[in-house]
Each structure stands twice: as structure tokens, then as C-alpha cells.
Amino acid sequence: MNRFARLATRLLGTPRALVWVAAEGSAVVESWPAGSVDAEASALCRRVAELGAPLALAGDADGVLAFAGVPLVGPSGERLGVLAATDTGPRAWSEEDLRDLGDLGAACSAQMRLRLRSDEVQRAGEAAGEAASLAEAEADRMETLLSRAQLLLRAAEDLGDTSGLKEVWARVSGLAGGELKPSHVGLDLMGEDGLLRQVAGAEAGQAPWTGPGEGYGADSGWPGARAVREGRTVVVDRQKLTRGYTPEAVAGFDALGLHTLACVPLSGAEGVFGVLALGWDVPHVVDSAERAVLVVLADYTARAVERAAYLDERVSVALRLQQAMLTDLVPVPGLETAALYRPAARQDMVGGDWYDLHPLLGPHGAWAVTVGDITGHDLGAATLMGQVRSMLRQADIDHPDRPPHQAVEALVRACQTLGLPAGGTLVHAHLTPRPAGHWQFAWTNAGHPPPLLTHPDAPGEPAEELRAAEELRAHDILVHPTLPPGPRTTHTRLLAPGSTLLLYTDGLVEHREQDLDAATGEAARRLAAASTDTPLGDVLEHLAGTVAPAHPEDDMVLLAIRIAPHNPSAC
């Protein structure tokens, strides 16, 4: 029974819960956490058992316990015990809290009744075969009730931590498929235009037909529309469709080979906003008990959908913010450039990876290049990235003709002065044109993966016959608010025409399936194997598709720069 107590603490967010079972001359108590019941909670449970009705007390700041309890009843209405949750007061118990506690109480009562019924079955079996058969049938019925109660318990747990609409659909489909055995499970949600549309499952061929693919209104002649319009569960077969719905509805029903379709409205704080639909390809009777299960399952689904929609919106805003802060590469005479950004496989993994390319002040025609990774995978990391990028740009502008490491030092001083909690790694560089088509590459590395450099004297050959690109491994400490300022250095290389430079974040090479050095070496070999005739954008796509993991756990930024072949006649 302490499993029900544990679920009560999770659903209601309380530190303690208990199942109090009346016994001759005493009471049996199972609690979560184990052994956490005091005399006051037991006394209140006895009061609920005596009243035979739910009891909710808000408690107060003076130590009076906040208490919510519901009676547990047997098959004949007898009082078996109490399911209760307690908290340190004061606490106002919401209707949703009491409803969730009531649902758990019903499941707990079912299990207790099953135990009692099992005893009766055993006694009846000893008495007579006929009585045993009747008792077994009753036990089967109770088993079905318990199984459905367990379905709702699993729904409360499984839908409590979903983070996206497709995940909600997948879990609901799995839950319903195990007990109710529908052939199809679908989810239709109302958009801002007032039309209901199927949002999950269609690509897997699992979603039932509930309306036209382009969307349908709540006033249209589809079963899902009626469920939304009337705010109740609608169950149809072909005969009901023929009598009460449009010919298009009948045709769609026949095309999918369904025998029965149940549409349950999804309700939230602002009214009905969608439909949970279950379809069966064999005749199926949705009795009153199953209707009750569907209503509770839809209630859990509705709350999961509202939470997922909120999270989806937050992630969408964060992704738009991050994309807006990524630089649009401008043409640079004498250079070919390309960049690639890919978010992590999980939609909520918005992070602080960025790249930048902008001109520097002065007569030399120099350009600043940056690739960096601010620690974190959330909206905060993305906003910090934007601030760091802007401050690093300003440091370059305010310190013309100074080496890159001084711009990074100015960035660190600014973050510490402003109390900006920015931590991460970056490579910041200046590219300056030199005679005969060469470019000087001056860079400083703050704990970042090493840039990769190919040389024009490395001809395009099969990868196994070609040496890897050079790894420019010199680096200083990373940027972090808790680290004292350390010495930073600028390194220089003269890049000949035909050279290719790759800057990247660790999402390209850091993953569980491969050693970091091995992945970096693989990226270097593939970069060196790329022909100078291959567009840089294609090179980056190839690297992302072959070196990075199939389902990356981190964002990935790639920035490639190729020195154009020297053309003496253009000088």
C-alpha cells in the first residue's frame, strides 16, 4: 500500500502520505517515507474513517498539520481505511489536489477490494465448485477494474514529466495500447485559428481519422468536433455516423476500416482545447467503467499537453533568439567562408554555441573571427552568449591594432566587473591579408577544441593515403567567473593560398561512442581529404554527417575559411 502513499506525495507535492487501514482494536499504517507518520495524522485518519467522507484541513503556521484524506470503501460500502497526504501548514488544498487524491483513493480501494475478494474466492472454492466459479468471475471483474486503476496510476506517473507534444502522444499511445487495446490513438489540438488539427502520430500511421487533414472547426460535422462542442465523450460506430454525421465522416470512417471511435474532450483552464481519440478496428463496447477511465486519462493528457505546449513555446523562443544572434556571413575578398549551426537532438537543448565574422577597423583590411561555446543548454546560456559576443566585438573595436588575446582579456575584465556569470571556451582570431594572396592568422584559444588547418601542398587523395589536417593545439585557460585572470597569448601562422581553416565547437567531436582525440583526428582527416574545388558548405555538411554523432547531445557550430588561390594578374 505504500506505493499509493508514494504516488500521493508525487501528485500533490507533499512531504508525507499514508494509507491507514482499520483493524480490530488498532490500525495498520503504511506511509511514505516509511515510518514518517505521527499521532496527529493517525488521529485525523480515524476521524475521516468515522465520518465516511473526505476531509481537508489547511493547517496553520503554528504547527497545526495540513491534512487531506479520503475514505477507502469496500464492495458493499464498508469502510476499509483512509488514504491521506500531509504537509506543514498552512496549505490550501486545490480542487485538483482533492480530485487527484480521490482518483488514487479509488485505485487503492480497488486493490484492497481485490484482496478481500480473493479471500472470498478461496473460501468459496473450498465450499463448492459452483460458488468458486462465481467468485472467480467476480475476481476477473475486479482484476479488470484494478488493471484500469493501475493504468491511471501509470498515466499519472508517465505523463508527469513529458516535455513535448509528440512525447505526450507516444506515452498516451503506449498507456492506452496496453490496457484498452485500441488500434489507433490520436491527439487533435485547437490552433490559434480555432481549427482542430492532428498534431502527433500521423507520420507513424497510428493516428485515427477524426476530421480533415487541413483542420476542422468545433461546429463541423465530425465526431471530434462534437466532443469539443458538447464537452463530453462521443462514441460512434458506422450506424451512428450514418444517422448523425456528414457523408464525408462516413466515408472517412469506412476508408480506415474502423468499427468504433471514442473522442474524449481535453479541457484546460480556458475551456476545451482538443480531443483524445481512440479507434478500434474490431467491434468494441465502451461501457461506463471504460468511459470513466477515458475521462481520467484525457484529464492527465490535457495537463501534459498544456505543459508541453508551454515548454515548446519557450524552446521556440530560445531557438529564434539563438538563430537571430548567429552572424550572416558577408563576402570577404580573398576568402571563401561557410558556417553551419545544428542544435542538439533534444529540442530543449538550447545552448550558447556561436560563430562570428566581422571587419576590424584600420587600413589593413583585417577581419575578426570567433567560434565559442558558453556553458549551458537553456535560454540563459543563449542570452549570455549574445552579451559575450557583443562585448568581444566592442573590445576589438575599442582596441584597434591590438592582438586577439587582449580583446579576450578585456572581455574577462568586463564580465568580472559587471558580475556576468559567463563561462565557456572560445577561439578568437584576426585574419589580415598579406602579399601574394597570403593571410596572417593570429589567434588566441581559451580552452577550446583546436582549430584544424589544411595546407595547399596536401593534394586531394583517398583519405587513407592522406595525412590529416594540422591541429593548432596551443591554448590558454577557459573563461569562467570563478577563475582568476591568467596569462593569455596570441599565436600566428601565415596561411598560403589554398589553405583551409576549420573552427568548431565540441558538439562535433565530443560524444560517448568515440574518444575525443580519435574524433578530432577523424575530423582532421576528412577535412584534409576534401578537394579545394568542393564548396565549403558541402564540406561542413559532410563533416557534420560523418564525424558528429547521429543524435548529438550538444549543439554544434562549424566555421570554415578557405584562402583563395593566388591570382598574380589581379595584383
Side-chain angles (χ1 to χ4, degrees):
M1 288 300 169
N2 64 351
R3 181 163 65 107
F4 291 94
R6 175 175 61 83
L7 288 172
T9 62
R10 290 186 57 183
L11 277 179
L12 276 65
T14 62
R16 295 180 300 177
L18 65 150
V19 177
W20 183 94
V21 181
E24 293 183 3
S26 63
V28 178
V29 180
E30 294 187 28
S31 63
W32 187 267
S36 62
V37 180
D38 55 26
E40 183 180 2
S42 295
L44 290 171
C45 286
R46 186 176 297 278
R47 182 178 172 188
V48 172
E50 293 171 352
L51 292 173
L55 176 65
L57 301 175
D60 61 32
D62 295 327
V64 176
L65 194 68
F67 175 91
V70 294
L72 306 176
V73 297
S76 301
E78 67 270 27
R79 299 168 190 175
L80 301 178
V82 175
L83 173 64
T86 66
D87 203 346
T88 54
R91 167 165 177 162
W93 302 96
S94 67
E95 292 183 3
E96 184 178 5
D97 289 338
L98 298 178
R99 184 172 67 246
D100 288 344
L101 189 61
D103 290 343
L104 280 177
C108 188
S109 296
Q111 183 148 350
M112 295 177 71
R113 291 196 298 269
L114 180 62
R115 290 181 178 179
L116 294 174
R117 184 58 63 190
S118 297
D119 293 340
E120 294 175 3
V121 170
Q122 183 176 1
R123 288 192 297 269
E126 294 172 354
E130 183 179 355
S133 298
L134 294 174
E136 185 178 356
E138 178 66 7
D140 289 342
R141 187 180 71 86
M142 294 301 297
E143 185 68 35
T144 299
L145 291 176
L146 177 60
S147 179
R148 291 177 177 176
Q150 290 174 335
L151 164 65
L152 298 182
L153 288 172
R154 291 196 304 274
E157 289 186 321
D158 292 352
L159 294 174
D161 60 352
T162 49
S163 58
L165 293 176
K166 289 189 176 181
E167 185 180 1
V168 171
W169 170 80
R171 294 201 183 183
V172 171
S173 181
L175 287 165
E179 171 59 30
L180 304 175
K181 296 180 174 57
S183 56
H184 304 285
V185 177
L187 198 60
D188 289 4
L189 299 182
M190 187 174 293
E192 294 181 357
D193 58 0
L195 296 181
L196 289 149
R197 294 183 178 85
Q198 197 167 90
V199 297
E203 68 279 359
Q206 291 295 310
W209 152 92
T210 50
E214 65 273 11
Y216 58 100
D219 57 349
S220 60
W222 298 85
R226 184 174 181 182
V228 170
R229 187 167 60 247
E230 299 180 3
R232 66 178 182 87
T233 301
V234 172
V235 180
V236 296
D237 54 22
R238 194 181 189 284
Q239 186 176 9
K240 289 182 178 180
L241 278 170
T242 304
R243 291 200 309 262
Y245 296 88
T246 62
E248 292 81 7
V250 177
F253 193 85
D254 290 342
L256 287 179
L258 293 178
H259 285 266
T260 308
L261 178 69
C263 297
V264 192
L266 303 176
S267 300
E270 299 182 1
V272 179
F273 63 85
V275 177
L276 174 64
L278 286 79
W280 291 266
D281 54 11
V282 295
H284 183 84
V285 177
V286 182
D287 58 21
S288 58
E290 190 166 293
R291 281 177 181 261
V293 170
L294 291 177
V295 168
V296 178
L297 181 61
D299 182 58
Y300 288 138
T301 302
R303 279 182 275 170
V305 166
E306 287 184 315
R307 181 174 56 254
Y310 170 73
L311 294 175
D312 283 349
E313 177 61 21
R314 284 197 61 183
V315 171
S316 177
V317 169
L319 285 173
R320 291 197 300 270
L321 173 63
Q322 189 168 34
Q323 291 285 1
M325 289 188 292
L326 294 176
T327 303
D328 290 330
L329 297 182
V330 297
V332 179
L335 299 178
E336 180 187 354
T337 62
L340 181 147
Y341 167 76
R342 285 188 182 175
R346 288 178 54 194
Q347 287 286 320
D348 56 344
M349 296 284 276
V350 180
D353 291 27
W354 90 97
Y355 62 86
D356 199 8
L357 176 67
H358 64 88
L360 295 171
L361 297 177
H364 307 298
W367 291 74
V369 180
T370 310
V371 165
D373 182 2
I374 295 299
T375 303
H377 299 288
D378 54 21
L379 185 57
T383 54
L384 277 176
M385 175 267 283
Q387 293 174 281
V388 167
R389 187 193 72 155
S390 297
M391 288 194 295
L392 193 55
R393 282 185 165 196
Q394 187 67 40
D396 269 331
I397 293 173
D398 285 347
H399 301 83
D401 298 324
R402 294 191 182 181
H405 77 270
Q406 293 190 10
V408 176
E409 289 173 347
L411 166 67
V412 172
R413 287 194 299 271
C415 290
Q416 292 178 343
T417 301
L418 299 173
L420 194 66
T425 66
L426 60 89
V427 170
H428 182 59
H430 293 169
L431 276 168
T432 306
R434 292 290 183 249
H438 289 67
W439 285 73
Q440 178 176 287
F441 177 58
W443 81 97
T444 185
N445 186 328
H448 201 73
L452 302 179
L453 175 64
T454 68
H455 301 284
D457 58 347
E461 299 176 9
E464 63 271 17
E465 301 177 13
L466 184 68
R467 64 181 176 85
E470 180 182 1
E471 299 180 25
L472 306 181
R473 289 188 170 274
H475 66 86
D476 304 318
I477 63 171
L478 54 77
V479 175
H480 197 275
T482 64
L483 294 177
R488 298 194 179 276
T489 52
T490 292
H491 311 273
T492 60
R493 292 291 294 270
L494 189 64
L495 307 185
S499 301
T500 300
L501 181 69
L502 177 69
L503 308 180
Y504 54 96
T505 58
D506 56 8
L508 174 67
V509 295
E510 189 173 280
H511 46 98
R512 299 176 184 176
E513 292 80 9
Q514 190 170 4
D515 177 75
L516 178 61
D517 289 338
T520 304
E522 179 67 14
R525 284 188 290 274
R526 291 186 178 275
L527 179 66
S531 169
T532 55
D533 296 329
T534 304
L536 279 183
D538 294 344
V539 174
L540 297 187
E541 291 288 349
H542 175 71
L543 290 173
T546 56
V547 179
H551 302 286
E553 297 181 357
D554 199 358
D555 296 346
M556 176 173 56
V557 157
L558 306 178
L559 176 62
I561 300 170
R562 179 182 290 159
I563 311 301
H566 181 50
N567 184 3
S569 63
C571 299

